[in-house]
Every structure is written in structure tokens, then in C-alpha cells.
């Protein structure tokens, strides 16, 4: 009987060592330690063993069970570690890959419109030039031939920081700054934010955007202006857009 128990133990150890996964290891446990397992069968056959030999057989079986269970636990830890390593390898994160972009908010409609206008004029050969929002009175008014007694210079219409500095009321100062440099020809637009002391209503705001254009060159006529504005309108609003020109005066 002792030899039989040793053979069962040896067979169990070999089966445990060759088990390639947790399922196979469980099959080994059932095969040797389950209700119908080889080692369990020895215990069930104890009734055929003489009373004086039963303690020895029980001791052999219990010893074999302890060895088998210890080996199975060790094998289980090894298989668990191997499975974890495979999982970690499969789920490894490459930290050098670019991260997912987080889109926060949306572009402002004014920004979208301004960029579209700039795109159209750049396509027609214009240069986009920006200037300071905090401007000198000299550039905002004097260099634009706006006299000192003009209503636009009144504090009710203009935000003054001091007597010489203000928040620009138009983007025209950019034209003055460009012309000062004396580099010709000039073909530019000057988009930007302007400020006026207006009450807020459906058509007025103390801060709004403005776009001005300036062309200085030889042989430039009103026809060039009309053609430019017509192309711009069709690009912005669609090819079927019709334009109408009428004279107007801003004193």
C-alpha cells in the first residue's frame, strides 16, 4: 500500500509540473484529490486494510496529500505570475505615443468669421496687418485728418486713458502706421477689435470688430475696389451673391 501511495504522489507531482494552465492544474487536482481521485480512492479502500495497518496507511495518504497540495499551490502561484506578466505585456502603454487631445469649448463665431475674411483677402494677394488696441490720439485721429473739434473725439464717444492715449475707435490707425513706413505698393487689410462709448443694444456695443482695407499703387481705380468687393462677397456668401454699390458719407 505504501508503494501505491508513493506512485500516486509521484504521478501527481509529474502531472502538476507539466500542467500548462490553471484549468489543467485544476484537472490534476480533481484527478488525484477529488471525490473520485486516485488518492481519495486509497482512503475509501481503508475498509479492506487490517485495523492495525490503517493508521500507517492514513499517515501515508495524508503526507502525500500535503505534498501534492503544497506543490499545486506553488504551481498555481507560478501560473498566476505568468498570466499577470502576459497581461501586463499585452496592456503595456507606450508613453511615447501622442496623448489624446482634449477639446475644451468651441471657437468663437467672431474668430471663425475673421479667419474666413482673412483667408479670402490673402487669396487675392492682400497682407493681414494688426495694430495696437491701446493707441495714441495722434494715430487714431490727427494722422487721419480728423480735426480736434470733431464729435468723434468727445469723451462721450471715445474711451480715453489720458489726453494722449485711448482705446482705438477704429482700425484705421494701422493704415497710418503702414503708410508712415513709406514702403509701396500697399495692399493690406487690418482686422481687429475696436472700442466706442456706446450703449449696448441690438446694433451697438462698446467693443466690436472691424476690418479695413487699403490699396496704394499705380493705375488703381474705383473699378478695382468694386471688383475686389464683388469677389469677396461671392467668396463669403456664395457665387450667386449680387452686389450693389451706393455712395455714403460718414462725417
Amino acid at each position: 500500500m505504501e508503494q501505491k501511495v508513493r506512485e500516486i504522489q509521484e504521478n501527481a507531482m509529474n502531472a502538476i509540473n507539466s500542467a500548462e494552465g490553471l484549468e489543467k492544474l485544476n484537472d490534476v487536482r480533481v484527478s488525484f484529490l477529488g471525490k473520485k481521485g486516485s488518492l481519495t480512492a486509497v482512503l475509501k479502500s481503508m475498509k479492506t486494510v487490517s485495523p492495525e495497518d490503517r493508521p500507517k496507511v492514513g499517515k501515508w495518504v495524508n503526507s502525500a496529500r500535503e505534498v501534492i497540495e503544497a506543490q499545486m499551490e506553488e504551481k498555481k502561484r507560478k501560473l498566476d505570475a505568468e498570466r499577470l506578466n502576459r497581461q501586463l505585456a499585452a496592456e503595456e502603454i507606450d508613453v511615447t505615443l501622442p496623448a489624446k487631445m482634449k477639446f475644451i469649448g468651441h471657437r468663437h463665431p467672431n474668430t471663425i468669421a475673421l479667419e474666413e475674411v482673412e483667408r479670402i483677402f490673402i487669396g487675392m494677394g492682400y497682407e493681414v496687418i494688426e495694430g495696437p488696441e491701446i493707441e495714441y490720439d495722434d494715430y487714431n485721429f490727427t494722422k487721419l485728418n480728423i480735426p480736434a473739434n470733431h464729435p468723434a473725439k468727445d469723451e462721450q464717444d471715445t474711451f480715453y486713458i489720458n489726453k494722449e492715449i485711448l482705446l482705438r475707435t477704429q482700425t484705421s490707425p494701422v493704415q497710418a502706421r503702414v503708410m508712415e513706413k513709406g514702403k509701396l505698393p500697399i495692399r493690406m487689410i487690418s482686422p481687429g477689435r475696436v472700442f466706442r462709448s456706446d450703449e449696448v443694444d441690438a446694433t451697438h456695443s462698446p467693443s466690436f470688430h472691424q476690418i479695413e482695407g487699403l490699396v496704394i499703387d499705380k493705375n488703381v481705380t474705383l473699378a478695382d475696389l468694386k471688383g475686389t468687393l464683388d469677389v469677396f462677397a461671392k467668396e463669403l456668401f456664395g457665387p450667386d451673391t449680387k452686389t450693389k454699390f451706393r455712395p455714403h458719407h460718414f462725417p
Side-chain angles (χ1 to χ4, degrees):
M1 183 65 72
E2 182 180 6
Q3 181 63 30
K4 183 177 181 180
V5 172
R6 288 181 179 177
E7 289 179 358
I8 292 174
Q9 177 179 325
E10 184 177 350
N11 291 336
M13 300 295 282
N14 292 333
I16 291 171
N17 292 332
S18 61
E20 297 181 352
L22 293 175
E23 291 185 4
K24 295 292 185 181
L25 185 63
N26 186 61
D27 292 342
V28 173
R29 182 190 65 79
V30 173
S31 177
F32 290 93
L33 304 180
K35 291 182 179 181
K36 297 181 180 181
S38 303
L39 198 61
T40 306
V42 175
L43 288 175
K44 290 181 179 180
S45 67
M46 290 283 282
K47 59 185 178 181
T48 63
V49 179
S50 61
E52 61 272 16
D53 290 334
R54 288 178 184 175
K56 291 187 293 184
V57 175
K59 183 178 179 181
W60 296 334
V61 171
N62 289 334
S63 177
R65 176 181 289 275
E66 290 176 0
V67 172
I68 293 171
E69 288 179 343
Q71 185 66 16
M72 290 190 68
E73 187 62 29
E74 178 64 25
K75 182 67 174 182
K76 183 177 181 299
R77 284 196 295 268
K78 183 178 179 181
L79 292 174
D80 283 337
E82 291 176 353
R83 182 180 63 175
L84 178 60
N85 289 334
R86 288 194 299 269
Q87 182 178 354
L88 291 175
E91 297 176 356
E92 183 179 3
I93 299 175
D94 187 351
V95 295
T96 65
L97 291 174
K100 292 182 179 179
M101 294 182 63
K102 291 185 177 180
F103 296 95
I104 302 176
H106 301 275
R107 296 166 68 222
H108 195 281
N110 278 351
T111 302
I112 297 173
L114 284 169
E115 289 180 355
E116 177 64 12
V117 170
E118 291 177 4
R119 182 193 66 79
I120 295 171
F121 275 99
I122 290 173
M124 291 190 287
Y126 283 72
E127 182 180 3
V128 178
I129 301 178
E130 298 180 347
E133 294 179 354
I134 299 176
E135 187 58 276
Y136 288 102
D137 178 281
D138 191 39
Y139 282 100
N140 197 79
F141 293 121
T142 306
K143 292 182 183 294
L144 300 175
N145 293 327
I146 298 176
N149 60 350
H150 194 281
K153 298 193 67 174
D154 193 275
E155 291 186 0
Q156 294 181 351
D157 295 319
T158 301
F159 292 109
Y160 282 92
I161 296 175
N162 56 41
K163 291 183 178 180
E164 297 181 354
I165 300 176
L166 48 79
L167 299 182
R168 67 181 182 184
T169 60
Q170 54 200 349
T171 55
S172 302
V174 181
Q175 299 183 30
R177 289 177 176 275
V178 172
M179 286 188 287
E180 264 189 343
K181 296 178 181 179
K183 184 179 179 180
L184 298 174
I186 297 174
R187 187 183 296 268
M188 58 160 282
I189 60 168
S190 54
R193 188 167 56 166
V194 299
F195 308 87
R196 296 182 187 177
S197 184
D198 289 333
E199 294 291 334
V200 177
D201 58 28
T203 59
H204 294 83
S205 172
S207 175
F208 58 96
H209 288 78
Q210 192 177 74
I211 300 175
E212 297 187 25
L214 175 66
V215 175
I216 300 177
D217 200 358
K218 296 179 180 179
N219 302 318
V220 176
T221 68
L222 185 61
D224 295 295
L225 172 62
K226 293 176 67 176
T228 298
L229 295 178
D230 188 70
V231 170
F232 167 74
K234 286 179 168 57
E235 282 286 329
L236 187 62
F237 301 111
D240 296 329
T241 302
K242 295 182 180 180
T243 54
K244 178 181 179 180
F245 297 88
R246 62 183 178 88
H248 199 68
H249 176 59
F250 291 92

